Amino acid sequence: MATTSSMFMYCLTIQPPTAITQAILGQFAGTKEQQMVTASGSRLTIHRPDPSQGKINPLFSQDVFGIIRTIAAFRLAGSNKDYIVIGSDSGRITIIEYAPSQNRFNRVHLETFGRSGVRRVVPGQYLAVDPKGRACLLASVEKNKLVYVLNRNAQAELTISSPLEAHKPQTLVFALAALDVGYENPIFATLEAEYGESDQDPTGQAYQDLEKLLVYYELDLGLNHVVRKWTEPVDRSSTILFQVPGGADGPSGVLVCSEDSITYRHSNQDALRVPIPRRRGVLENPERKRHITAGVMHKMRGAFFFLLQTEDGDLFKVTMDMVEDDNGQATGEVRRLKIKYFDTVPPATSLCILKSGFLFTTSESGNHHFYQFEKLGDDDNETEFESDNYPIDQLAQNSPAYFHPRPAENVNLVESIDSMNPLINCKVLNLLAEEDAPQIYSICGSNARSSLRTLKHGLSISEIVESELPSVPSAVWTTKITREDEYDAYIILSFANGTLVLSIGETVEEVTDTGFLSTAPTLAVQQLGEDSLIQVHPKGIRHIQADRRVNEWPAPQHRSIVAATTNERQVAVALSSGEIVYFEMDSDGSLAEYDEKREMTGTVTCLSLGDVPQGRVRSSFLAVGCDDSTVRILSLDPDSTLENKSVQALTSPPSALSIMAMADSISGGSTLYLHIGLYSGVYLRTVLDEITGELSDTRTRFLGLKPAKLFKVSVKGQTAVLALSSRPWLGYTDVQTNSFMLTPLDYVGLEWGWNFSSEQCLEGMVGIQGQNLRIFTIEDLTSNLLQQSISLAHTPREFIKHPEYPLFYVIESDNNVLAESTKASLLQSSDAVNGDAITLPPEHFGYPRATGHWASCVQIVDPVSTKSVVSTLTLEDNEAAVSIAAVPFSGQDDETFLIVGTAKDMVVSPRSFSAGFLHVYRFHEEGKELEFIHKTKIEQPPLALLPFQGRLLAGVGPDLRIYDLGMKQMLRKCQTAAVPNMIVGLQTQGSRIIVSDVRESVTYAVYKFQENRLIPFADDIVARWTTCTTMVDYETVAGGDKFGNLWLLRCPQKVSEEADEEGSGAHLIHERQYLSGAPSRLNLMSHFFPHDIPTSIQKTQLVAGGRDILFWTGFQGTLGMMIPFVSREDVDFFQTLEMQLKEQNPPLAGRDHLAYRSYYAPVKGAIDGDLCETYLLLPGDKKQMIAGELDRSVREIERKISDMRTRVAY
């Protein structure tokens, strides 16, 4: 087989993973303000909480191209800046810092200590840092622990010592924490268990007697070695440790959290224990014990407390009382431990308490939450449980503690941050009639926090004013009265037969004494010089002085003005005869006409003058667009006025031009651009050389079907271009990469737009839509995907669209949760006291748990008109829905029925069930109601269903079956054992069926109609744990697996043709099996590791007129795509660029990029687009160096990188 693939894919991320695995707090910028650093997948992101607005703003995000296992913040004594330590899969310890001036993460240290990969014995799984920043300990799950001493040298730079070892073979580590010991020798605490004896003992007695130990490791700074200082046996269910403040702040030691209890332990003190309170209620199982899954310790002046969270999401506040001496002063000894219910928030992976009084929780599933503390729960009437009543030696006799959950009192939600984790399935469809690009519909979340989300490409808009006008205007402008004005004073509206002037104040009202000509339509308005205004209309130019004197320049006879452009010192107009007249402002403030007129070859359609640069008297270029499909750049310098500088040929006549300076990714400063809009709805952006007037580096985008109009606006302090076609677009500079972005606005189609600034709305825009005047602002430029969410009842498992109507059918099921009917009967039968019978909203408190129970339903969702769940169909008898399909049956005149596959009494692991069923429903009321027809019992749950040639194709265990619809039940027509284990997915084209096995990749099968036989004829070489597949063409299938790989497999041409030969298929049946599989094998075309588990993959287009791509979604909320390369030349270019970037800009955490992308199998036929896009973030000198190696200009490389993305997606 050839080593290079004949097929290459460019792999890009559209939305990075939204699941946050860990969040840490610190002063990373070196200022008083706290920032948060989050790790999600392989990305590090730094966020800035804004306490005044109650928002979290992302500052910078970087892909480290390695698995981030753990992160921690530390600060050297006496400094005011926090560094970040990363434990990754690179076998190295990485220390980085955030440089606020460059808005980048810079690597400070990289020390190798072992093998790469996430292995049992490679340190990096656990990380703890001494609170005083003197040392950090990296531990592996088994055996190895390394201590690094951190210090600073004479130049005040951070130094790191050689590692000190604290290894102990055959020891498993469960948790790690650093003790707060003030300035004594640093101590680290671990929870560990030795399994040496259990390994040797065949009776299993040693395993029963195994003890879990709390161990203290002390780093002796004087002797520079680590000793095992103290061990103490703890409860075997202990899983997590929390550091207790020490030194001057508290007693030191740790909290050990185990099943049903929290224990305080320290080497010089007796242990104290409190129980974890359980929920009380009719539906709660009183015997169910809780664990602590997350927590945070917060220090205040002279006090501290813990917030610990159970798996239900309940937060408990844990405090300590100290022993007092004779004078009433607290000593370093703990007298009692106290715990009480605080509030309930969704279960989190990390909790962070900010000094400004906020709580940030990164949710395990669903949106992340940012709360504000209302109070600390000190004076409420919640029951407090004390360690005095729960002696450590009488664990068995103690009665459990109970509490009543209640709505949140102490914290108040101020912001919810969108997160699509876990993303279970996704479809790209266009259900909106007015949109030209499709939307992304996905089901995500778990339990009661699940949702169906619609993603649309665009920027969010907040509308301030919408008011109707007396007739339909053609254009709108705003203007100040003098140059010094901060806000606009007038809105000028041009109608077909006149002009209306509105003044902006507390209210907006019409004014007539402004000097503007109101009897003719207006072509341009400008505030000129210090304090005068100018109005261009078809018959001339009005120059209005500050004292309302008017100077009029009339247009020559029999000619009118057809186009005009202005800036604060210059005016240029085009006449209907094709002449251009140019004016410049004199020193006395009057307009002077340039003697010669310039004749153009065709009719002028549009003009543009750039703004006057800082410290200059004029803009040196005038852009002229003519109807012969050209744009000419004319010089305005005094010695060469109106001379041709350059010309650009276009594919269609230009409808709008705009010269403006925008931030540039290459120079780092700003560059002059000429933006061109064409009558064909295409937008072009080209670089205008500020000296020679040459045009270069043209980039194009298709905006819509209407002629494009362009307007200069300002958004978030930067100059941007508003482009209007059949929908409005905004061209702006990306905050991180400084590259140019063009994104549609989520708004009605506008006919005209302009900048708008008033006291109430500093940076807004004013636009015209039909007969309406609209004023709006753009809030956020950081995310260009808009989300809408519809809540679902349970964890969604699968969804399909109705064949005709815009409706989705979602099957949902939750394990170990009480079904609705069971809950109702429990509530009826109980004679509960009033407090126990309250049912709390499940989206905040979760559902009542019960082992072995399933709650399941089918929900019909309308994502377009009502944006809600239309109806819900609950499944009874402990059945859980596992698959769904809409199947047209040819025996029923091609009427479409909804088939739902269910499993009864299913146990997920080890896998067991009592039966499977096929439910059949008929559609009513345009699909909004379902009528139950019948259900058929089958021996295993059908995990895959698919319509196939007017019948139903079902995967039942390892069998592939064809069913037809009967009067009383489904009728089995054909069956074959297609795969070794279990069918989890089906795809089809023609008579070919692609069958996915849970752990044996895919098998190609063919259905022979005359013989009524299903025959498997080709399978894969590698055992892939398939999660999703799609057919790319008749021979090729793309898929993802459980370990986070994407792959493309192709059936050899000859095998494919043989399988489809006419006849009985006897030659396929009698062909010899190869290695107890199918007769033939599939070839691997492409393989890539994107670091998220693919949950859906489909061949689709994402933008209007874009090429077909493979769009995939990942479990943690990733959206990605694979773009096929068309030419070999592009492949070579990107391969060389990839190679250069790996050398010049190695990954932040020290992982080898090629090894990372080849985690399970060598990367093949794939180019890492995310790595190529890091080129845009490099400093200028490195960009030049790589460009030199590639023999291209920097602009050319950037254009190629951005074209790969913008041609097919966002």
Side-chain angles (χ1 to χ4, degrees):
M1 215 164 109
T3 47
T4 59
S5 185
S6 58
M7 175 155 132
F8 271 88
M9 306 299 270
Y10 185 77
C11 305
L12 257 186
T13 305
I14 296 173
Q15 174 182 289
T18 51
I20 295 177
T21 47
Q22 199 184 347
I24 54 171
L25 266 179
Q27 295 166 345
F28 301 108
T31 56
K32 282 269 171 68
E33 185 175 65
Q34 283 183 309
Q35 289 90 15
M36 279 174 305
V37 170
T38 59
S40 41
S42 61
R43 291 185 92 84
L44 274 183
T45 310
I46 183 161
H47 307 264
R48 181 181 157 265
D50 185 344
S52 59
Q53 302 224 312
K55 276 191 161 27
I56 295 183
N57 304 317
L59 291 174
F60 177 67
S61 175
Q62 185 168 354
D63 201 325
V64 303
F65 298 108
I67 296 174
I68 302 170
R69 298 162 80 185
T70 173
I71 50 176
F74 78 93
R75 170 190 310 208
L76 293 172
S79 85
N80 60 354
K81 178 169 182 157
D82 286 330
Y83 292 91
I84 304 158
V85 194
I86 305 175
S88 70
D89 62 342
S90 61
R92 298 162 162 191
I93 180 173
T94 318
I95 297 179
I96 61 169
E97 64 171 342
Y98 173 65
S101 55
Q102 307 161 315
N103 193 19
R104 292 280 177 278
F105 289 120
N106 292 334
R107 192 158 70 202
V108 187
H109 274 291
L110 185 67
E111 295 290 324
T112 308
F113 54 70
R115 300 167 69 184
S116 63
V118 180
R119 306 167 198 266
R120 255 164 59 164
V121 291
V122 176
Q125 189 63 33
Y126 302 108
L127 170 63
V129 178
D130 174 63
K132 294 283 185 267
R134 296 168 298 171
C136 72
L137 185 140
L138 270 177
S140 59
V141 175
E142 187 181 333
K143 183 183 170 190
N144 297 327
K145 293 184 196 65
L146 298 174
V147 177
Y148 285 91
V149 180
L150 306 163
N151 218 322
R152 53 157 79 88
N153 61 13
Q155 285 80 44
E157 292 165 338
L158 175 72
T159 61
I160 186 167
S161 71
S162 304
L164 304 170
E165 297 183 350
H167 300 340
K168 194 162 192 292
Q170 297 188 319
T171 302
L172 296 174
V173 175
F174 293 88
L176 170 68
L179 259 69
D180 188 347
V181 289
Y183 285 102
E184 291 171 21
N185 282 337
I187 295 178
F188 297 95
T190 63
L191 277 180
E192 48 189 61
E194 290 182 44
Y195 68 82
E197 287 177 10
S198 313
D199 248 10
Q200 307 302 324
D201 175 21
T203 62
Q205 188 55 42
Y207 174 71
Q208 297 301 327
D209 303 341
L210 184 73
E211 279 191 329
K212 198 175 269 190
L213 302 171
L214 173 68
V215 185
Y216 278 10
Y217 290 92
E218 182 178 12
L219 165 66
D220 193 320
L221 291 169
L223 300 170
N224 205 23
H225 73 133
V226 185
V227 291
R228 206 174 147 105
K229 185 179 178 189
W230 178 71
T231 61
E232 171 95 348
V234 293
D235 186 349
R236 255 184 86 164
S237 62
S238 306
T239 50
I240 191 166
L241 295 174
F242 291 101
Q243 151 197 330
V244 178
D249 301 324
S252 187
V254 287
L255 287 186
V256 183
C257 301
S258 51
E259 187 178 64
D260 211 33
S261 71
I262 298 166
T263 317
Y264 168 74
R265 293 187 182 266
H266 195 32
S267 51
N268 59 8
Q269 211 171 332
D270 292 339
L272 300 169
R273 168 186 170 271
V274 287
I276 300 173
R278 306 176 190 175
R279 286 187 181 181
R280 175 154 270 163
V282 183
L283 304 174
E284 293 292 341
N285 173 6
E287 298 307 310
R288 185 162 74 88
K289 298 176 175 177
R290 309 299 203 266
H291 288 85
I292 296 293
T293 55
V296 60
M297 180 267 295
H298 187 63
K299 278 196 275 199
M300 299 172 297
R301 283 202 182 89
F304 62 89
F305 66 90
F306 294 86
L307 281 187
L308 304 181
Q309 190 182 35
T310 63
E311 70 265 42
D312 293 336
D314 300 322
L315 285 175
F316 295 98
K317 184 178 174 182
V318 177
T319 49
M320 293 181 177
D321 286 353
M322 297 299 166
V323 174
E324 293 177 353
D325 60 10
D326 305 340
N327 305 333
Q329 293 296 312
T331 60
E333 200 177 332
V334 183
R335 182 161 161 218
R336 68 169 68 90
L337 203 56
K338 297 195 289 195
I339 185 168
K340 70 178 191 180
Y341 174 59
F342 187 73
D343 263 337
T344 301
V345 301
T349 52
S350 298
L351 302 169
C352 298
I353 296 179
L354 281 73
K355 287 182 180 158
S356 48
F358 288 89
L359 169 72
F360 179 54
T361 69
T362 61
S363 304
E364 282 180 11
S365 82
N367 292 357
H368 308 303
H369 289 332
F370 193 48
Y371 296 93
Q372 187 163 15
F373 282 104
E374 299 290 324
K375 55 187 204 298
L376 289 176
D378 295 328
D379 46 2
D380 57 12
N381 49 14
E382 286 293 333
T383 319
E384 196 159 41
F385 301 98
E386 299 186 354
S387 55
D388 300 358
N389 309 331
Y390 295 90
I392 198 100
D393 46 357
Q394 300 168 3
L395 286 182
Q397 297 93 304
N398 285 334
S399 60
Y402 290 102
F403 75 97
H404 285 293
R406 53 162 168 72
E409 286 177 2
N410 300 308
V411 292
N412 171 29
L413 182 65
V414 287
E415 195 193 9
S416 175
I417 299 153
D418 280 335
S419 166
M420 297 176 68
N421 154 57
L423 201 162
I424 293 155
N425 204 337
C426 174
K427 294 194 182 338
V428 179
L429 300 162
N430 189 357
L431 301 183
L432 304 175
E434 70 274 8
E435 294 285 331
D436 46 7
Q439 304 86 48
I440 300 168
Y441 296 93
S442 61
I443 44 174
C444 30
S446 67
N447 291 333
R449 305 187 64 234
S450 342
S451 56
L452 186 140
R453 300 197 182 205
T454 307
L455 271 84
K456 218 163 87 176
H457 180 216
L459 293 170
S460 58
I461 292 285
S462 54
E463 186 171 80
I464 297 165
V465 176
E466 180 201 346
S467 68
E468 200 171 324
L469 297 167
S471 62
V472 179
S474 57
V476 61
W477 293 269
T478 59
T479 180
K480 304 170 178 179
I481 293 181
T482 70
R483 184 185 295 176
E484 268 63 57
D485 283 359
E486 199 177 337
Y487 305 121
D488 292 327
Y490 297 139
I491 296 178
I492 296 98
L493 290 154
S494 168
F495 296 91
N497 55 358
T499 296
L500 179 69
V501 183
L502 307 172
S503 78
I504 305 168
E506 289 296 310
T507 59
V508 173
E509 49 207 29
E510 186 180 340
V511 281
T512 48
D513 58 343
T514 53
F516 282 98
L517 182 68
S518 60
T519 55
T522 302
L523 295 173
V525 173
Q526 174 74 41
Q527 189 273 315
L528 199 75
E530 290 298 324
D531 53 8
S532 59
L533 296 170
I534 197 154
Q535 176 193 16
V536 183
H537 53 91
K539 289 287 169 227
I541 302 174
R542 270 174 97 87
H543 184 190
I544 305 160
Q545 311 280 19
D547 52 8
R548 301 285 160 88
R549 281 182 306 150
V550 173
N551 291 342
E552 181 92 32
W553 177 86
Q557 265 192 331
H558 309 306
R559 282 172 275 181
S560 60
I561 298 175
V562 291
T565 176
T566 59
N567 64 26
E568 56 265 38
R569 300 190 58 86
Q570 296 157 289
V571 179
V573 296
L575 302 177
S576 51
S577 57
E579 293 167 313
I580 287 178
V581 190
Y582 168 62
F583 302 83
E584 201 168 298
M585 200 170 112
D586 278 352
S587 50
D588 63 352
S590 63
L591 272 185
E593 180 185 346
Y594 178 67
D595 308 337
E596 295 173 32
K597 296 182 175 63
R598 166 75 195 265
E599 284 267 358
M600 300 308 279
T601 48
T603 309
V604 178
T605 56
C606 47
L607 297 170
S608 175
L609 278 165
D611 278 351
V612 180
Q614 198 78 34
R616 307 275 285 278
V617 290
R618 66 176 69 79
S619 160
S620 18
F621 300 115
L622 170 67
V624 183
C626 298
D627 65 358
D628 56 358
S629 300
T630 58
V631 168
R632 289 180 169 77
I633 301 294
L634 307 184
S635 166
L636 297 180
D637 287 335
D639 45 359
S640 63
T641 309
L642 299 184
E643 279 182 19
N644 238 358
K645 281 283 189 182
S646 62
V647 64
Q648 165 121 9
L650 305 165
T651 54
S652 139
S655 55
L657 294 173
S658 177
I659 297 176
M660 63 173 91
M662 290 179 82
D664 181 26
S665 59
I666 293 152
S667 60
S670 75
T671 302
L672 211 53
Y673 290 104
L674 170 64
H675 303 270
I676 308 169
L678 306 185
Y679 274 100
S680 59
V682 172
Y683 159 85
L684 297 92
R685 167 175 170 266
T686 115
V687 176
L688 176 61
D689 191 294
E690 298 183 25
I691 318 288
T692 63
E694 289 293 321
L695 294 171
S696 62
D697 186 31
T698 307
R699 305 195 187 177
T700 60
R701 276 291 283 278
F702 174 64
L703 300 185
L705 300 169
K706 291 187 183 171
K709 299 195 185 100
L710 306 174
F711 304 95
K712 177 184 163 186
V713 292
S714 105
V715 179
K716 295 276 175 232
Q718 58 158 294
T719 309
V721 57
L722 178 68
L724 306 178
S725 176
S726 46
R727 61 197 279 197
W729 296 69
L730 186 77
Y732 56 98
T733 308
D734 182 54
V735 191
Q736 279 194 21
T737 59
N738 264 354
S739 57
F740 182 72
M741 306 275 283
L742 191 64
T743 310
L745 302 181
D746 181 34
Y747 205 43
V748 292
L750 299 173
E751 279 101 52
W752 195 275
W754 205 261
N755 224 27
F756 177 83
S757 175
S758 71
E759 277 184 66
Q760 290 80 25
C761 159
L762 295 175
E763 277 191 327
M765 293 173 212
V766 56
I768 293 171
Q769 176 252 330
Q771 206 171 325
N772 291 341
L773 180 74
R774 293 170 181 262
I775 298 175
F776 58 95
T777 59
I778 296 172
E779 295 296 314
D780 181 23
L781 292 179
T782 50
S783 81
N784 62 355
L785 281 173
L786 296 166
Q787 278 194 29
Q788 284 180 336
S789 178
I790 300 168
S791 294
L792 302 174
H794 297 284
T795 308
R797 305 289 171 177
E798 183 74 51
F799 75 135
I800 58 158
K801 180 192 165 291
H802 190 283
E804 292 155 43
Y805 304 106
L807 293 173
F808 285 119
Y809 298 85
V810 190
I811 51 168
E812 305 160 29
S813 54
D814 271 327
N815 195 5
N816 296 339
V817 164
L818 287 175
E820 290 297 322
S821 52
T822 321
K823 280 199 283 196
S825 62
L826 274 172
L827 284 169
Q828 276 176 345
S829 63
S830 78
D831 43 0
V833 201
N834 45 14
D836 290 359
I838 299 169
T839 48
L840 294 156
E843 57 271 20
H844 299 300
F845 296 89
Y847 288 113
R849 308 281 182 92
T851 313
H853 287 258
W854 283 89
S856 183
C857 64
V858 182
Q859 289 198 316
I860 307 175
V861 184
D862 178 352
V864 178
S865 48
T866 64
K867 294 190 170 44
S868 65
V869 174
V870 182
S871 85
T872 303
L873 184 89
T874 311
L875 296 177
E876 304 293 336
D877 300 338
N878 209 26
E879 282 183 51
V882 291
S883 56
I884 186 169
V887 185
F889 285 100
S890 43
Q892 303 283 332
D893 303 332
D894 285 337
E895 186 188 343
T896 305
F897 289 84
L898 186 74
I899 314 284
V900 178
T902 65
K904 185 170 163 62
D905 305 330
M906 183 162 65
V907 177
V908 181
S909 174
R911 190 176 154 71
S912 72
F913 42 83
S914 58
F917 290 97
L918 285 171
H919 294 238
V920 182
Y921 299 95
R922 181 178 257 132
F923 294 115
H924 286 295
E925 303 288 326
E926 299 188 338
K928 290 182 180 165
E929 285 182 15
L930 295 176
E931 177 200 354
F932 176 69
I933 307 288
H934 56 63
K935 71 177 186 177
T936 308
K937 185 174 179 178
I938 46 180
E939 54 277 19
Q940 289 203 33
L943 295 183
L945 302 174
L946 188 74
F948 178 71
Q949 298 182 358
R951 295 193 282 186
L952 169 71
L953 192 65
V956 182
D959 298 335
L960 185 61
R961 296 181 182 173
I962 294 180
Y963 281 97
D964 210 337
L965 183 63
M967 296 300 287
K968 296 283 176 67
Q969 62 171 36
M970 299 296 287
L971 310 172
R972 184 175 3 170
K973 295 292 183 187
C974 177
Q975 167 173 344
T976 183
V979 297
N981 304 299
M982 192 162 68
I983 296 175
V984 291
L986 295 168
Q987 302 285 334
T988 181
Q989 272 187 30
S991 294
R992 178 166 298 177
I993 302 162
I994 311 278
V995 188
S996 322
D997 183 66
V998 65
R999 63 162 188 257
E1000 291 288 342
S1001 191
V1002 295
T1003 304
Y1004 282 43
V1006 62
Y1007 176 60
K1008 294 294 182 190
F1009 185 73
Q1010 298 91 339
E1011 306 290 309
N1012 189 24
R1013 292 193 78 153
L1014 289 159
I1015 310 165
F1017 66 90
D1019 59 14
D1020 196 4
I1021 307 166
V1022 182
R1024 306 179 198 281
W1025 292 68
T1026 325
T1027 54
C1028 58
T1029 52
T1030 187
M1031 288 182 79
V1032 182
D1033 57 35
Y1034 194 59
E1035 263 85 39
T1036 318
V1037 65
D1041 66 37
K1042 182 174 140 178
F1043 295 97
N1045 300 299
L1046 286 168
W1047 30 265
L1048 274 103
L1049 302 168
R1050 181 168 285 169
C1051 180
Q1053 188 73 32
K1054 185 164 170 284
V1055 177
S1056 175
E1057 285 166 6
E1058 277 180 11
D1060 286 342
E1061 276 175 18
E1062 285 295 308
S1064 64
H1067 60 291
L1068 293 176
I1069 298 165
H1070 301 307
E1071 201 163 345
R1072 205 169 95 228
Q1073 288 191 342
Y1074 178 67
L1075 298 178
S1076 69
S1080 308
R1081 290 289 171 267
L1082 305 172
N1083 298 331
L1084 178 68
M1085 302 305 295
S1086 175
H1087 197 286
F1088 186 71
F1089 175 74
H1091 190 182
D1092 198 353
I1093 301 168
T1095 53
S1096 79
I1097 185 165
Q1098 56 207 299
K1099 183 173 139 188
T1100 182
Q1101 296 170 357
L1102 284 182
V1103 291
R1107 290 217 320 270
D1108 273 352
I1109 55 162
L1110 282 175
F1111 174 82
W1112 66 275
T1113 58
F1115 186 71
Q1116 299 185 326
T1118 315
L1119 303 179
M1121 59 181 171
M1122 296 169 85
I1123 308 161
F1125 278 104
V1126 181
S1127 73
R1128 185 79 214 187
E1129 182 194 356
D1130 281 355
V1131 175
D1132 294 340
F1133 168 80
F1134 279 104
Q1135 274 183 323
T1136 325
L1137 175 64
E1138 221 182 6
M1139 201 168 69
Q1140 290 295 330
L1141 283 166
K1142 286 174 198 170
E1143 286 171 22
Q1144 308 294 343
N1145 186 32
L1148 192 69
R1151 181 79 166 121
D1152 177 60
H1153 176 269
L1154 189 64
Y1156 168 66
R1157 288 300 186 199
S1158 310
Y1159 234 103
Y1160 294 94
V1163 63
K1164 176 181 180 182
I1167 281 166
D1168 187 356
D1170 293 341
L1171 177 70
C1172 295
E1173 290 196 345
T1174 58
Y1175 181 80
L1176 305 171
L1177 295 169
L1178 294 179
D1181 50 344
K1182 273 200 177 162
K1183 281 187 185 175
Q1184 287 294 180
M1185 199 160 111
I1186 293 174
E1189 291 284 337
L1190 289 169
D1191 205 16
R1192 306 269 179 130
S1193 70
V1194 177
R1195 266 195 203 289
E1196 221 176 329
I1197 295 175
E1198 293 203 344
R1199 183 168 91 221
K1200 260 185 139 35
I1201 293 171
S1202 79
D1203 274 0
M1204 279 308 284
R1205 184 186 276 274
T1206 53
R1207 279 192 183 153
V1208 294
Y1210 342 114

